[in-house]
Amino acid sequence: MHGGDLVAEVLRAQGVPFLFTLCGGHISPILVGCKARGIRVIDTRHEATAVFAADAVSRLSGRPGVAAVTAGPGLSNTVTAVKNAQIAQSPLILLGGATATLLKGRGSLQDIDQMALLRPHVKWAATARRVAEIVPLLERAFAVAQEGVPGPAFLELPLDLLYDEPTVRRLYGAAGGGGGLAGRALRLYMGAHLARLFGGADRAAAGPLIAAQPPVPPDEPLGRAAAALERAERPLLLVGAQALLDTANVGLLAAAVERLGLPVYLSSGARGLLGKDHPLQMRHQRRAALKDADLVILAGVPCDFRLDYGRHIRRRATYVAANRSRADIALNRRPDIAALGDPGLFLRRLAMLAPPAARWAFWREALIDRDDARNAAISRQAAAPSAYLNPVQLCREIEAALPDDSILVGDGGDFVATASYVIRPRGPLRWLDPGPYGTLGVGAGFALGAKLCRPEAEVWALFGDGAFGYGVAELDTFVRHGIAVIAVVGNDAGWTQIAREQGEMLGDLVGTELAATDYHRVAEGFGAAGLALDDPELTEETLAQARSLARAGRPVLINARLGKTDFRKGSISV
């Protein structure tokens, strides 16, 4: 076996079903080794997409997704996607090719200091220097990526560790110099280097599956939180994506939230935890609810910009925080009760100690009345006349068309933010968005990973037309690999989320205007199905046609021409 086979052996032992990649000579043995062992190799058109797809696999399966990219620019192309995974706390593995061990720092093709580039953006990074190190280092990467606060891990694999020994010996022999004492000394040095490089490689063997248990919150803050709930009259619960890291137990988490009976807001990857229409879930007026609450529990949600750095929670309220991260648990505002550990496990244990939920019925009803008023206003805005399609009404019709097995991916600004007010994920782990880093361009990779993880599900990717530009070439990836996603591009010919604020504040739309491109024709050029939609009377019919084409195994793009609305007037982009 060569080093690429050893990588593949570890991936197979860790239950990795897919390897996402963009090919390169530095990593070819990994791709061939994976294919030979039944690991499906999915090659994308950009390295960032490969990492985004691995990230989606991590979020939906609870197991690290894996991407392999070639050296130099192949690796540097991943940095944004890796950083997004780090901030979203996704456990993934990035494998990076590198120049041969003897050629580092000597001007070899695509040779850069890759460790300096990646180390700030990952939990753990290492370079294999001998073939025998590949297995233990890669297994260490799987362990570190999953434990504690999850995140990406990076393993650099030099080219001469991946190819078989006879090939590498021939390559080094060809560079062994001429005759004379200098040539002999060089050959002796290379021989010793090769002996060290391959020494012990024949004893390398992949070990068992590596899984991490969620960190258990201590009993003391749990008891204090239960006592605070006993005293509370207007408690409020906010659940974030970190609470769903333990994907195997999301059903138990949903049951615990129901048992607690607190009004709850779900953010980012936690959306859909309680299903489509649960009476405990509030969707609107979160800031007002936080200002009225006398007890606030943040489960896997830090006090970052989304909560105005903690200022949305009134000072007199009891503030309880459960988080795996010691830094996040006290970010910007120190909680009255801090439970360092898995927030999902914290809520499951708290539910066993909580008082009867009926005592907060009046508070829940008050928040439901606010939600109903906001929903009525949204309905009126959906009916407002608009050139082409009213984006609010389009989102309402997508909502009506979604089946229970759908997965939603959001990649965009104004259009996706509008969708988040209207479209409701059907269950837990059925909503993917970038997370707090706010990265545009995640959509194609997320949709790719989601459809591979859940081939029976309808995967709907909602794109802004600006964001879609990052991943448009991945339509080719969908076609080549038979990935039948439904992409909806909200085409309003602009970076509208930025334009709203920039035009209002600065009186100039420079840099925010796009063309009303025929994206459906672009899709057809890649071999996907392209549907143009600019007549609201045809929306239902077009959505039904897209679903039919996807069920037949064909990726579909709906180019939805949007009119301008004031639905998100006053929203800010930073």
Side-chain angles (χ1 to χ4, degrees), residues 2 4-5 8-9 11-12 17-19 28-42:
H2 52 64
D5 288 324
E9 286 286 314
L11 299 187
R12 181 169 63 177
F18 319 110
L19 177 70
S28 292
I30 298 175
L31 312 188
V32 173
C34 284
K35 181 185 176 184
R37 286 157 181 80
I39 297 170
R40 187 172 176 186
V41 177
I42 306 291

Side-chain angles (χ1 to χ4, degrees), residues 386-391 394 489 491 516-518 520-521 531-540 542-543 558-563:
S386 173
Y388 302 107
L389 304 173
N390 182 316
L394 172 62
V489 179
N491 185 355
T517 300
D518 287 341
H520 55 290
R521 296 189 184 276
L531 305 177
L533 175 61
D534 59 9
D535 183 347
E537 297 295 325
L538 299 177
T539 301
E540 183 178 355
T542 303
L543 297 179
I558 301 172
N559 183 25
R561 186 73 170 92
L562 304 181

Side-chain angles (χ1 to χ4, degrees), residues 1-8 19 24-37 41 157-164 167-168:
M1 290 198 299
H2 52 64
D5 288 324
L6 293 176
V7 171
L19 177 70
H26 292 89
I27 58 169
S28 292
I30 298 175
L31 312 188
V32 173
C34 284
K35 181 185 176 184
R37 286 157 181 80
V41 177
L157 296 162
L159 177 148
D160 51 350
L161 271 61
L162 294 178
Y163 284 84
D164 63 88
T167 298
V168 175

Side-chain angles (χ1 to χ4, degrees), residues 305-378:
F305 68 95
R306 293 168 293 181
L307 296 177
D308 195 21
Y309 311 99
R311 289 191 289 267
H312 284 178
I313 304 171
R314 65 174 182 164
R315 284 293 167 188
R316 293 192 303 275
T318 301
Y319 167 33
V320 181
N323 204 292
R324 293 191 183 204
S325 168
R326 190 177 297 275
D328 284 353
I329 206 167
L331 183 67
N332 294 312
R333 179 167 173 174
R334 189 172 298 279
D336 300 295
I337 302 170
L340 186 63
D342 181 66
L345 189 53
F346 172 81
L347 292 178
R348 285 159 54 192
R349 297 179 66 196
L350 182 63
M352 295 187 288
L353 306 173
R359 59 180 294 186
W360 301 308
F362 78 97
W363 166 236
R364 288 195 301 271
E365 291 300 323
L367 295 180
I368 288 170
D369 287 345
R370 288 181 182 173
D371 258 29
D372 289 344
R374 180 62 177 129
N375 285 329
I378 291 172

Side-chain angles (χ1 to χ4, degrees), residues 174-494:
L181 186 61
R184 182 183 175 193
L186 181 58
R187 285 190 294 274
L188 286 172
Y189 174 79
M190 286 188 173
H193 179 74
L194 286 163
R196 191 183 72 85
L197 205 67
F198 289 99
D202 57 331
R203 296 189 296 275
L209 186 75
I210 298 167
Q213 296 301 313
V216 179
D219 291 336
E220 188 270 340
L222 192 68
R224 292 176 59 204
L229 267 179
E230 288 277 4
R231 300 188 298 269
E233 295 181 356
R234 297 180 305 282
L236 197 65
L237 172 62
L238 273 66
V239 181
Q242 194 194 81
L244 279 72
L245 287 172
D246 183 10
T247 58
N249 288 308
V250 293
L252 295 177
L253 173 60
V257 172
E258 286 189 287
R259 167 68 181 84
L260 282 166
L262 310 184
V264 59
Y265 287 90
L266 305 172
S267 67
S268 192
R271 295 188 59 190
L273 175 63
L274 299 180
K276 177 183 173 184
D277 292 312
H278 201 284
L280 289 177
Q281 182 181 344
M282 306 300 143
R283 298 175 56 82
H284 309 300
Q285 309 291 343
R286 187 176 73 176
R287 180 183 299 192
L290 284 165
K291 288 298 184 185
D292 289 342
D294 61 0
L295 181 145
V296 174
I297 301 174
L298 300 188
V301 181
C303 280
D304 59 14
F305 68 95
R306 293 168 293 181
L307 296 177
D308 195 21
Y309 311 99
R311 289 191 289 267
H312 284 178
I313 304 171
R314 65 174 182 164
R315 284 293 167 188
R316 293 192 303 275
T318 301
Y319 167 33
V320 181
N323 204 292
R324 293 191 183 204
S325 168
R326 190 177 297 275
D328 284 353
I329 206 167
L331 183 67
N332 294 312
R333 179 167 173 174
R334 189 172 298 279
D336 300 295
I337 302 170
L340 186 63
D342 181 66
L345 189 53
F346 172 81
L347 292 178
R348 285 159 54 192
R349 297 179 66 196
L350 182 63
M352 295 187 288
L353 306 173
R359 59 180 294 186
W360 301 308
F362 78 97
W363 166 236
R364 288 195 301 271
E365 291 300 323
L367 295 180
I368 288 170
D369 287 345
R370 288 181 182 173
D371 258 29
D372 289 344
R374 180 62 177 129
N375 285 329
I378 291 172
S379 295
R380 290 192 295 272
Q381 289 168 307
S386 173
Y388 302 107
L389 304 173
N390 182 316
V392 184
Q393 181 58 26
L394 172 62
C395 290
R396 285 166 63 92
E397 297 210 39
I398 293 172
E399 161 66 20
L402 289 177
D404 288 341
D405 70 344
S406 58
I407 295 176
L408 293 159
V409 174
D411 184 11
D414 203 68
F415 177 57
V416 173
T418 298
S420 70
Y421 281 89
V422 177
I423 299 176
R424 294 166 288 180
R426 284 3 189 196
L429 303 176
R430 294 188 174 275
W431 172 271
L432 292 170
D433 64 24
Y437 198 34
T439 306
L440 294 183
V442 302
F446 278 11
L448 177 62
K451 188 63 177 177
L452 287 164
C453 279
R454 309 269 180 82
E456 76 290 347
E458 277 190 9
V459 175
W460 290 67
L462 308 179
F463 292 95
D465 53 341
F468 185 62
Y470 290 98
V472 62
E474 302 303 343
L475 289 165
D476 171 71
T477 305
F478 296 153
V479 170
R480 285 185 295 107
H481 290 282
I483 309 298
V485 305
I486 301 170
V488 181
V489 179
N491 185 355
D492 58 4

